[in-house]
């Protein structure tokens, strides 16, 4: 109620080159850490995390998750 909306944040874990070499959990964790770091830089005390998106890379031998993009809304809320 008393929180100030600081804006939308986008964060990414992985890329085309190494995303397929690490597991899905690691990609999600990297994106989550990036999201929290960006929110902290904005002075946020809270984040509403929105649904994530997963990117896939394909090749002749199959495919794998290469990126995870997370987005959220950063808020600054007063201490109670």
């Amino acid at each position: 109620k008393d929180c100030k909306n600081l804006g939308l944040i986008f964060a990414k874990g992985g890329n085309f080159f190494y995303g397929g070499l690490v597991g899905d959990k690691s990609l999600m964790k990297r994106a989550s850490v990036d999201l929290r770091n960006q929110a902290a830089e904005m002075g946020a005390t809270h984040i509403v995390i929105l649904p994530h998106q997963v990117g896939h890379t394909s090749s002749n031998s199959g495919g794998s998750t290469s990126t995870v993009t997370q987005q959220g809304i950063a808020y600054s809320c007063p201490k109670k």
Side-chain angles (χ1 to χ4, degrees), residues 12-33:
K12 184 175 173 181
N15 61 33
F16 175 77
F17 297 106
Y18 78 85
L21 302 176
V22 297
D24 293 353
K25 286 183 182 181
S26 179
L27 294 174
M28 285 294 294
K29 185 173 182 175
R30 289 174 193 223
S32 295
V33 168

Side-chain angles (χ1 to χ4, degrees), residues 3 12-13 17 20 26 28 30 33 37 40 44 46 51 54 57 60-61 65 80:
C3 299
K12 184 175 173 181
F17 297 106
S26 179
M28 285 294 294
R30 289 174 193 223
V33 168
N37 288 342
H46 294 77
V54 177
T57 303
N60 291 336
S61 59
T65 301
K80 293 184 178 189

